[in-house]
Amino acid sequence: MPWDRNQMAERAAQELEDGMYVNLGIGIPTLVANYVGDKDITLQSENGMLGMGPFPYEGEEDPDLINAGKQTITELARTSYFDSAQSFGMIRGGKIAAAILGAMEVAENGDLANWMIPGKLVKGMGGAMDLVAGVGRVIVVMDHTNKKGESKILKSCTLPLTGKGVVDRIITNLGVLDVAHKGLHVVELAPGVTRADLEAATEATLV
Amino acid sequence: MPWDRNQMAERAAQELEDGMYVNLGIGIPTLVANYVGDKDITLQSENGMLGMGPFPYEGEEDPDLINAGKQTITELARTSYFDSAQSFGMIRGGKIAAAILGAMEVAENGDLANWMIPGKLVKGMGGAMDLVAGVGRVIVVMDHTNKKGESKILKSCTLPLTGKGVVDRIITNLGVLDVAHKGLHVVELAPGVTRADLEAATEATLV
Amino acid sequence: MKKVYGSASEALDGLLFDGMFIAAGGFGLCGIPELLIDAIKDAGTKDITIASNNCGVDDFGLGVLLQTKQIKKMLSSYVGENAEFMRQYLSGELELEFNPQGTLAERMRAGGCGIPGFYTKTGVGTVIAEGKESKMFNGEEFILEEGIFADLSIVKAWKADDTGNLIFRKTARNFNPPAAMCGKVCVAEVEEIVPRGSLDPDCIHLPGIYVHRLVQGAHEKRIEQRTVRTREEA
Amino acid sequence: MKKVYGSASEALDGLLFDGMFIAAGGFGLCGIPELLIDAIKDAGTKDITIASNNCGVDDFGLGVLLQTKQIKKMLSSYVGENAEFMRQYLSGELELEFNPQGTLAERMRAGGCGIPGFYTKTGVGTVIAEGKESKMFNGEEFILEEGIFADLSIVKAWKADDTGNLIFRKTARNFNPPAAMCGKVCVAEVEEIVPRGSLDPDCIHLPGIYVHRLVQGAHEKRIEQRTVRTREEA
């Protein structure tokens, strides 16, 4: 049986090691925080914070304390605040060990598209282009196929790119794939998913 | 009678206006601070401080509080500290209204040489190149001639440059000169100094 | 040299002109110069180009200057919260230059630091790189991004002293320091002005040299997405 | 993830190798990583290239690594306080690359921020510009300076918490934050390590993400030029 959203997040959390500074994107990646267990992980919020805590209790919301998704959050004992230039300095400078992000499309060469669909409303890339260009390891977590059942893992992206050759690992409901030489390497299959199932759902080359 | 060191500093202090942020070099420029009167001047020390105060009382020296000349100093109520990248960011970015500096040579096109004499020991330019390139107005305060009686204000510099075309005004023991189109404009003569005295002591073109 | 002004309108007096370029601090609705934005609305300045990560919401923040059609062009990384923005953009009334968020912040800081251009990996191989110079460093491709030099900076801080030293609070710092640095003139609005000497000189986030005018006022500080957990979850 | 080590030598264990490139904080003798410098002396690492604004004095700071001839090359803006430096330099034993002070600081910050190159006015028309690319922006000439990417950063802070968040004191901050940012690994020595939560999160000068290892110790903090005024002058 393929993984559900929480199981994908749980699998993604296995990517994180003690001591890592990590940036989590919106959607399933946000759920990863629920599965880090007792690993010492520090979450960055790219609007200017290291050590992001959980949502505040009702009545304790602080308008001066939000995450990159503009949600109210809290601080921790380890927290530090800084400005946006410093924040993206640490992202661009490779100080963030990993980013776990959602995607619209990933190509077998590591290209990532997750910020615009031509002809639809364009909201902007926010910090996504900086993150994929700068962090040590880019891990995409997404459904393997779109709502029409078409593969989101392609030979080459059809949508405008967020970054070129930036993805290291893809975690989907069907399994785990690594961007490798000449194609994607199957690292792991979700329980009950066969290699044939994965091949049928994947446009990209599997090696 | 030409100005002495203190009179040159006093004259240089007239260049400063209320509200200015200013960087003072070593030597006569340091004395300028004694003559700002009740003007609201904030002194920058390029090692990371705005609002430099006077030397400490004996016994109150703090090894963590020095100026760019490595001398112990004090802080004021307006003081702020920052790192060297930020400090030179504000210098390079033109936020410092004026720098008052010493010089070995100044040329009529505004070239400045004050950091090295080939064949002698070279200690380094420190922050001088950044200051002359970045601040709003560069004012040189120096003796008009060297110890051999030769003009330090030249048609063109003979020593390696600190900056090209960077000097705005020169204050010497003989008077005040501005870098102007096709030469130096005589702004003021020290008491008892004649135009002929100045011309005799100056290699550069006076206009 | 008095930096403290009585109102946001007074603090902007003489600084506004049609066709000007403004850099604004804030992220979403957090740490935005709301009083100065309202004063610009009242002044009616037109054809403004604004560098700001976002453009507020329809009725708050920079969104109010969209309602009055005072904005000609935005340099932003994300504009998804604003229906009027989309309407004006799609109808061609409003120009938009997308900047990756980190590139926008660094461009502001660069302008303030006298750096007219810098190289970055961000956007290489994407539409962001189109029309930009690129250069190889150590076998890798980078694109040239230019410093932002604005006519005016408008920022919001938590506290100031009367010399203009500013401190910010939590994530309301965001774009405010880099935005403040890149303007010819910077006007800051704060929640409280304290006497000089009251702020720890080791903890000044933005030295007064960057801040030319100051105004104190009451801030709405609207929350864009109120997310909470219930006590039971604890 | 434990960052706190028992001694400077332990904190450097496994990080030193001959021919390595180190970025060091400090200005003059103020805010220098004196304990780590001594530990590098004890380790005997050779042919080191060091980016540091100054090179200490003959018997303190980086000067001790000159005495032991462990330094191959310096990137500095000013080296006037050091007789042994001059002797080795003039005899050709030591290489020296002068960097204007602001260029050196910005090169360190750039390296730490993933910026391989930036343009600056500093040094245009001087020997500093020789061999460097130049480019016109808005009718003015700028030269290209490259980011510094070091193998190791050694810095000195006042206080740290156990997660590596650092605060500095007064002008001892100087080059320490940019130097800390540009190394693959950064080791910081501090006067005091406090429990996490003890430092104001709004006043962290260098977030712990930049700091991989920490050591606490007693510091000599030598004064290079003791200048005072007498009570009578007051």
Side-chain angles (χ1 to χ4, degrees):
Chain A
M1 207 174 65
W3 286 320
D4 64 19
R5 286 164 58 90
N6 283 307
Q7 286 167 322
M8 286 159 69
E10 188 173 6
R11 178 59 189 80
Q14 291 176 25
E15 303 293 319
L16 303 182
E17 291 164 24
D18 216 31
M20 271 191 179
Y21 292 83
V22 177
N23 187 294
L24 301 180
I26 295 170
I28 304 176
T30 303
L31 302 176
V32 174
N34 300 335
Y35 298 99
V36 296
D38 56 3
K39 277 184 283 198
D40 184 16
I41 302 296
T42 305
L43 298 179
Q44 195 222 28
S45 189
E46 66 263 31
N47 52 318
M49 179 185 200
L50 278 165
M52 180 165 52
F55 294 145
Y57 293 119
E58 208 167 334
E60 294 179 3
E61 310 91 327
D62 183 337
D64 290 335
L65 183 44
I66 66 170
N67 64 18
K70 282 110 186 178
Q71 299 170 312
T72 46
I73 49 166
T74 56
E75 68 185 27
L76 303 170
R78 71 181 61 192
T79 297
S80 61
Y81 299 105
F82 34 84
D83 69 42
S84 298
Q86 175 91 47
S87 183
F88 283 91
M90 68 182 69
I91 289 170
R92 207 186 299 105
K95 310 299 177 184
I96 307 284
I100 303 182
L101 303 168
M104 297 169 181
E105 293 178 350
V106 181
E108 62 190 52
N109 63 353
D111 287 0
L112 170 69
N114 72 350
W115 79 283
M116 86 177 271
I117 303 176
K120 285 209 178 183
L121 281 188
V122 177
K123 296 182 170 186
M125 72 288 290
M129 283 190 181
D130 306 279
L131 281 162
V132 300
V135 301
R137 191 167 159 76
V138 174
I139 300 158
V140 165
V141 182
M142 64 175 189
D143 283 324
H144 207 95
T145 55
N146 65 20
K147 282 167 189 166
K148 296 184 202 161
E150 298 161 339
S151 179
K152 293 172 70 176
I153 304 179
L154 305 172
K155 289 195 187 301
S156 70
C157 290
T158 65
L159 296 171
L161 297 186
T162 307
K164 198 156 179 52
V166 295
V167 175
D168 295 289
R169 178 164 279 195
I170 312 165
I171 298 171
T172 76
N173 50 324
L174 301 186
V176 180
L177 300 118
D178 271 0
V179 176
H181 188 54
K182 295 188 179 171
L184 300 173
H185 170 67
V186 182
V187 176
E188 192 177 330
L189 294 168
V193 174
T194 64
R195 171 90 185 198
D197 294 337
L198 191 78
E199 282 175 7
T202 307
E203 189 208 280
T205 312
L206 300 179
V207 293
Chain B
M1 207 173 66
W3 286 319
D4 64 17
R5 287 165 58 89
N6 283 305
Q7 287 166 322
M8 287 160 69
E10 188 172 6
R11 178 61 189 80
Q14 290 176 26
E15 303 292 320
L16 304 182
E17 290 164 25
D18 217 32
M20 270 191 180
Y21 293 83
V22 178
N23 187 293
L24 301 180
I26 294 169
I28 304 177
T30 303
L31 302 175
V32 174
N34 300 334
Y35 298 99
V36 297
D38 56 3
K39 276 185 284 199
D40 184 16
I41 303 297
T42 305
L43 297 181
Q44 196 223 27
S45 189
E46 66 263 30
N47 52 318
M49 179 187 201
L50 278 165
M52 180 164 52
F55 294 146
Y57 292 119
E58 209 169 332
E60 294 180 2
E61 310 91 328
D62 184 338
D64 289 337
L65 183 43
I66 65 170
N67 65 17
K70 282 110 185 177
Q71 300 170 310
T72 45
I73 49 165
T74 56
E75 69 185 28
L76 303 171
R78 71 181 61 193
T79 297
S80 60
Y81 299 105
F82 33 85
D83 70 43
S84 299
Q86 176 91 44
S87 182
F88 283 90
M90 66 181 70
I91 288 170
R92 206 186 301 106
K95 311 297 178 183
I96 307 284
I100 302 182
L101 303 169
M104 298 169 181
E105 294 179 349
V106 182
E108 62 189 52
N109 63 354
D111 287 0
L112 171 68
N114 73 350
W115 80 283
M116 88 176 271
I117 303 175
K120 287 208 178 185
L121 281 188
V122 177
K123 297 182 169 186
M125 70 289 289
M129 284 191 180
D130 307 280
L131 281 161
V132 300
V135 302
R137 191 166 159 74
V138 174
I139 299 159
V140 164
V141 182
M142 64 175 188
D143 283 325
H144 207 94
T145 55
N146 65 20
K147 283 167 189 167
K148 298 184 203 161
E150 298 161 340
S151 179
K152 293 172 69 175
I153 305 179
L154 306 172
K155 289 196 188 301
S156 71
C157 290
T158 65
L159 296 172
L161 297 185
T162 308
K164 199 158 179 49
V166 295
V167 175
D168 295 289
R169 176 162 281 195
I170 312 165
I171 298 171
T172 76
N173 49 323
L174 300 186
V176 180
L177 300 118
D178 272 359
V179 176
H181 187 52
K182 294 187 181 171
L184 299 172
H185 170 66
V186 181
V187 175
E188 193 176 330
L189 294 167
V193 175
T194 65
R195 170 89 185 199
D197 295 336
L198 192 77
E199 282 174 5
T202 307
E203 189 207 281
T205 313
L206 300 178
V207 294
Chain C
M1 190 76 173
K2 200 166 152 48
K3 292 186 177 180
V4 180
Y5 287 70
S7 72
S9 291
E10 286 171 38
L12 289 171
D13 186 44
L15 300 178
L16 302 175
F17 57 94
D18 293 350
M20 73 185 303
F21 184 11
I22 297 177
F27 177 90
L29 302 183
C30 180
I32 60 172
E34 46 182 276
L35 307 177
L36 293 163
I37 291 167
D38 281 344
I40 291 169
K41 179 190 167 193
D42 293 345
T45 316
K46 296 216 178 326
D47 294 326
I48 308 174
T49 296
I50 302 183
S52 169
N53 190 59
N54 313 91
C55 197
V57 294
D58 283 331
D59 65 336
F60 192 61
L62 289 173
V64 305
L65 302 182
L66 285 174
Q67 301 285 354
T68 54
K69 301 191 178 171
Q70 291 174 260
I71 303 178
K72 181 183 149 200
K73 181 177 177 180
M74 290 295 302
L75 282 69
S76 301
S77 87
Y78 193 84
V79 291
E81 298 88 351
N82 199 311
E84 177 63 13
F85 191 102
M86 283 301 160
R87 196 199 59 69
Q88 289 189 23
Y89 174 57
L90 294 174
S91 72
E93 292 167 61
L94 180 69
E95 295 172 55
L96 171 60
E97 177 190 304
F98 272 130
N99 281 243
Q101 192 172 149
T103 296
L104 183 64
E106 189 67 18
R107 289 184 65 192
M108 288 180 178
R109 188 231 174 234
C113 291
I115 292 173
F118 61 90
Y119 289 94
T120 176
K121 275 185 292 195
T122 302
V124 170
T126 76
V127 294
I128 289 301
E130 285 173 15
K132 287 175 186 156
E133 285 184 36
S134 77
K135 187 169 165 63
M136 303 296 287
F137 290 87
N138 208 12
E140 210 178 342
E141 186 183 359
F142 293 80
I143 55 173
L144 179 64
E145 293 281 1
E146 298 198 350
I148 286 176
F149 300 88
D151 297 308
L152 173 68
S153 301
I154 54 171
V155 300
K156 191 266 169 185
W158 184 36
K159 290 185 184 180
D161 68 22
D162 63 301
T163 74
N165 288 322
L166 301 186
I167 60 173
F168 302 90
R169 191 170 167 275
K170 303 185 188 287
T171 57
R173 193 177 328 176
N174 57 60
F175 276 79
N176 283 295
M181 290 163 62
C182 73
K184 282 196 202 84
V185 181
C186 171
V187 184
E189 59 179 64
V190 300
E191 296 179 45
E192 188 183 0
I193 297 174
V194 299
R196 65 184 74 186
S198 313
L199 302 176
D200 179 351
D202 274 324
C203 293
I204 305 294
H205 296 133
L206 193 78
I209 191 170
Y210 293 104
V211 179
H212 303 89
R213 302 185 183 187
L214 270 176
V215 62
Q216 174 180 327
H219 286 76
E220 177 182 341
K221 301 211 287 184
R222 193 186 293 185
I223 290 175
E224 197 163 348
Q225 286 200 48
R226 192 175 300 272
T227 45
V228 296
R229 58 186 158 150
T230 55
R231 296 274 169 192
E232 289 72 31
E233 284 175 17
Chain D
M1 188 76 173
K2 200 168 152 46
K3 292 186 178 182
V4 180
Y5 287 71
S7 72
S9 291
E10 285 171 40
L12 289 170
D13 186 46
L15 301 178
L16 302 176
F17 58 93
D18 293 350
M20 73 184 303
F21 184 10
I22 297 177
F27 177 88
L29 301 182
C30 181
I32 60 172
E34 44 181 277
L35 308 177
L36 292 164
I37 291 168
D38 281 344
I40 292 170
K41 179 190 167 193
D42 294 344
T45 316
K46 297 215 178 328
D47 295 326
I48 309 174
T49 295
I50 302 183
S52 169
N53 190 60
N54 312 91
C55 196
V57 292
D58 282 331
D59 66 335
F60 193 60
L62 290 173
V64 305
L65 301 183
L66 285 174
Q67 301 285 355
T68 54
K69 302 193 177 170
Q70 292 174 261
I71 303 179
K72 180 182 149 201
K73 181 178 177 179
M74 290 294 303
L75 283 69
S76 301
S77 88
Y78 193 84
V79 291
E81 298 89 351
N82 199 312
E84 176 65 11
F85 190 101
M86 282 302 160
R87 197 199 61 69
Q88 290 189 23
Y89 175 55
L90 294 174
S91 72
E93 293 167 59
L94 180 69
E95 295 172 55
L96 171 59
E97 177 191 303
F98 272 130
N99 282 243
Q101 192 172 149
T103 296
L104 183 63
E106 189 67 17
R107 288 185 65 193
M108 289 180 179
R109 187 224 175 243
C113 292
I115 293 174
F118 60 90
Y119 289 94
T120 176
K121 275 186 292 194
T122 300
V124 170
T126 76
V127 295
I128 289 301
E130 285 172 16
K132 287 176 185 156
E133 285 184 36
S134 76
K135 186 172 166 63
M136 304 296 286
F137 288 88
N138 208 13
E140 209 178 342
E141 186 183 358
F142 294 79
I143 55 174
L144 179 63
E145 294 281 1
E146 297 198 350
I148 285 176
F149 300 87
D151 296 308
L152 172 68
S153 301
I154 54 172
V155 300
K156 191 264 169 186
W158 183 36
K159 290 184 184 180
D161 68 22
D162 63 301
T163 74
N165 288 320
L166 300 186
I167 60 173
F168 302 90
R169 191 169 167 276
K170 304 186 189 287
T171 57
R173 195 180 324 178
N174 57 60
F175 276 80
N176 283 297
M181 289 161 64
C182 71
K184 282 195 202 87
V185 180
C186 172
V187 183
E189 60 179 63
V190 300
E191 297 179 46
E192 188 184 359
I193 298 175
V194 299
R196 64 184 74 185
S198 312
L199 303 176
D200 180 351
D202 274 324
C203 293
I204 306 295
H205 296 133
L206 191 77
I209 190 171
Y210 293 105
V211 179
H212 303 89
R213 301 185 183 186
L214 271 177
V215 62
Q216 175 179 326
H219 286 75
E220 176 182 342
K221 300 211 288 184
R222 193 185 294 186
I223 290 176
E224 197 163 349
Q225 287 199 47
R226 191 176 300 272
T227 46
V228 296
R229 57 185 159 151
T230 57
R231 296 273 170 195
E232 290 70 31
E233 283 175 19

